[in-house]
């Protein structure tokens, strides 16, 4: 049969379960967009910038069963999209990048947008493919999809030259997609060795990341069997229900909240699953990891990178934890500590920390804890909460409880500003019946705020809560404390109501604590009507998060005595004399 390349691309995307594409049409991909227009399964979404498109695709992968997909023009479309592609690459998020390409049938050079796209993308994708003929298209997209979703997931790029899209070519048949079977590389001996180590411990602990997002049931069973506290990474914040008595929070060192720091203080055996012990999650590597470390990950390259493991198990987190849980059930084990007493201490530490925040005097600004408390009370358990990169990220992490797996989304290892606004729109697009709220700093909001045009055009009721302090808050704090000056971190004045008017959003201003409840209520009610909302919060950043304080102490502690004196002396001098 004869089919155009564009038709074959769309057929293959439908077969692998793609439901949304994000991008901008141009002369090198307009045929694919024309075929998408005829698809009954895929909704193509026009964005204002390909950087936003890649953040949207990332969010679709994190919040649905579908793999986020870009359909972009070559060259500039790819370079614009590279921020979100890089985020997906370092965070382990599957993504398909379908880019147009210059014609390969003319023999001409210096064509518009002509460059080696696979070479350009090489450092931030798992793999790349250049289509040469029609019969390669379906199998190549299937291969790209499998690569994106196998092992540690990540983005994969497929370039389809414009002439192959436009013209028809002979193919033998439209092959259907067959999902490959998961092959486990671990064995039962490894499972039993891990269980032996856990049962010998007096103070076991569990550290869980995004790689265990589908493993919450087994995490709960193992934690209860061992009476082990559960800490998470930032990206994995939602993998373990905040309401569970053994949940402690993000991290377990001096940058963690008191509940986690205290619960892990004497940890003598750690079960780490779906984590990489990366800089952000470990508070700038300021954690003490016990010698008896059991590290589970689908990517063996993460083992022994920052902290040596006693036992390393390569495999899918859900499958490995299932086996560990079943083995524990077959053992006659009596934990060293009483779950009621231990969980009561965790609950007490949480309550004291929240109380400390609640009593904080924010004066004429909004206390972030009171906002989060009210927001949590008004949204459903299955609401999605997203953040960007900044001070607001760690306020959210410490003060906003997350209940269900996969319902908290945040950039982490790539840590790219500008993520939250487009990602929030994408999640609301995919989940129109759920509450979807983005918490974003004013600096990050300004990077991608015009994407709210896309929300308004598609009647997507995303809620964007701006933590407005007029600065790049996290860096401004890091500058002010030791340097007593702020260089390039004070923002120009922006009228966010004007942004709302320009993009078709509903605008609400929240200046102090007196109208938190009604402002949140109005935001959610308006969102339910399919209208995007900007809630402009004049936030109080004067009280520092435990994370920020811990990171400063950790990094200062690494300085030599001489350098420490120099930095402290400079800080004292500048604070005293300006």
């Amino acid at each position: 049969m004869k089919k155009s390349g564009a038709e074959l691309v769309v057929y293959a995307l439908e077969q692998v379960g793609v439901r949304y594409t994000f991008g901008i049409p141009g002369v090198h991909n307009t045929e694919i967009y024309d075929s998408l227009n005829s698809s009954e399964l895929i909704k193509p979404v026009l964005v204002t910038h390909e950087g936003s498109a890649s953040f949207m695709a990332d969010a679709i992968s994190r919040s649905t069963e579908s793999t986020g997909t870009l359909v972009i023009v070559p060259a500039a479309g790819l370079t614009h999209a590279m921020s979100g592609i890089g985020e997906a690459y370092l965070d382990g998020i599957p993504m398909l990048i379908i880019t147009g390409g210059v014609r390969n049938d003319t023999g001409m050079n210096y064509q518009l947008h002509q460059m080696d796209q696979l070479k350009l993308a090489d450092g931030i994708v798992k793999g790349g493919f250049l289509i040469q003929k029609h019969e390669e298209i379906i199998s190549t997209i299937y291969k790209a999809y499998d690569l994106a979703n196998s092992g540690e997931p990540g983005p994969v790029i497929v370039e389809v030259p414009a002439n192959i899209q436009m013209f028809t070519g002979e193919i033998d048949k439209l092959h259907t997609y067959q999902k490959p079977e998961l092959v486990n590389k671990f064995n039962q001996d490894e499972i039993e060795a891990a269980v032996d180590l856990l049962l010998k411990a007096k103070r076991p602990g569990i550290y869980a990341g995004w790689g265990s997002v589908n493993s919450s049931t087994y995490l709960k069973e193992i934690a209860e069997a061992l009476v082990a506290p559960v800490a998470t990474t930032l990206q994995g914040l939602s993998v373990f229900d905040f309401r569970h008595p053994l949940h402690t929070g993000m991290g377990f060192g001096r940058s963690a909240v008191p509940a986690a720091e205290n619960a892990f203080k004497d940890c003598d055996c750690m079960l780490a699953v779906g984590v990489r012990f990366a800089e952000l999650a470990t508070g700038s590597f300021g954690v003490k990891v016990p010698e008896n470390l059991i590290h589970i990950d689908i990517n063996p390259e993460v083992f022994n990178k920052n902290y040596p493991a006693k036992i390393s198990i390569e495999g899918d987190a859900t499958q490995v934890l299932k086996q560990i849980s079943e083995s524990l059930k077959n053992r006659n084990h009596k934990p060293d500590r009483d779950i009621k007493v231990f969980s009561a201490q965790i609950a007490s530490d949480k309550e004291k920390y929240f109380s400390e925040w609640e009593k904080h005097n924010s004066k004429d600004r909004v206390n972030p804890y009171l906002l989060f408390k009210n927001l949590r009370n008004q949204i459903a358990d299955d609401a999605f909460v997203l953040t960007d990169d900044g001070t607001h990220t760690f306020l959210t992490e410490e003060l906003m409880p997350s209940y269900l797996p996969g319902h908290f989304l945040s950039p982490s290892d790539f840590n790219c500003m500008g993520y939250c606004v487009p990602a929030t729109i994408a999640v609301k697009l995919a989940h129109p019946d759920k509450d979807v709220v983005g918490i974003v700093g004013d600096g990050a909001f300004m990077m991608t705020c015009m994407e709210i045009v896309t929300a308004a055009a598609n009647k997507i009721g995303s809620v964007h809560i701006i933590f407005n302090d007029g600065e790049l808050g996290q860096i401004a704090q890091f500058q002010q404390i030791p340097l007593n000056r702020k260089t390039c971190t004070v923002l120009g004045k922006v009228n966010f109501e004007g942004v709302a008017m320009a993009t078709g959003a509903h605008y609400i201003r929240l200046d102090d604590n007196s109208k938190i409840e009604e402002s949140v209520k109005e935001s959610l009610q308006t969102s339910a009507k399919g209208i995007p909302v900007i809630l402009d919060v004049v936030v109080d950043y004067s009280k520092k998060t435990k994370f920020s304080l811990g990171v400063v102490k950790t990094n200062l502690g690494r300085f030599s005595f001489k350098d420490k004196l120099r930095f402290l002396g400079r800080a004292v001098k500048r604070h005293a004399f300006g």
Side-chain angles (χ1 to χ4, degrees), residues 416-493:
C416 190
M417 289 176 68
Y419 176 89
C420 184
V421 170
T424 301
I425 294 168
V427 175
K428 185 64 175 179
L429 168 68
H431 302 278
D433 58 331
K434 298 189 186 304
D435 297 322
V436 181
V437 179
I439 314 292
V440 59
D442 45 3
F445 179 79
M446 289 162 62
M447 288 188 171
T448 49
C449 62
M450 293 308 293
E451 205 59 58
I452 296 175
V453 169
T454 302
N458 290 277
K459 296 181 172 55
I460 299 169
S462 48
V463 176
H464 306 273
I465 300 180
I466 307 172
F467 275 19
N468 181 359
D469 73 324
E471 300 178 346
L472 299 176
Q474 190 79 5
I475 303 303
Q477 286 182 14
F478 287 152
Q479 290 179 338
Q480 181 64 31
I481 294 170
L483 304 175
N484 195 30
R485 61 182 62 168
K486 299 172 183 178
T487 306
C488 292
T489 53
V490 178
L491 302 172
K493 290 188 179 297

Side-chain angles (χ1 to χ4, degrees), residues 18 132 136 345 396:
V18 170
Q132 300 287 356
E136 296 175 353
Q345 182 59 54
T396 308

Side-chain angles (χ1 to χ4, degrees), residues 26 48 149 232 234 252 266 279 397 411 451 475 506 553:
T48 65
N149 286 278
T232 73
L234 172 64
F252 51 89
D266 300 319
E279 181 173 5
E397 165 257 311
E451 205 59 58
I475 303 303
H506 180 71
K553 290 179 182 178

Side-chain angles (χ1 to χ4, degrees), residues 62 209-216 219 238-239 317-318 405-407:
R62 297 190 200 220
W210 182 262
S212 60
V213 70
N214 297 315
S215 315
S216 294
L219 283 172
S238 66
V239 303
T318 302
H407 285 245

Side-chain angles (χ1 to χ4, degrees), residues 53 61 169 175 231 253 386 397 497 515 530 543 559:
S61 290
H175 296 276
L386 298 88
E397 165 257 311
E497 185 175 12
K515 295 185 178 180
K543 182 174 172 57
F559 287 11

Side-chain angles (χ1 to χ4, degrees), residues 90-106:
L90 284 191
D91 290 2
I93 306 299
M95 183 184 293
L96 285 176
I97 306 146
I98 308 297
T99 176
V102 299
R103 295 183 64 155
N104 63 7
D105 62 344
T106 65

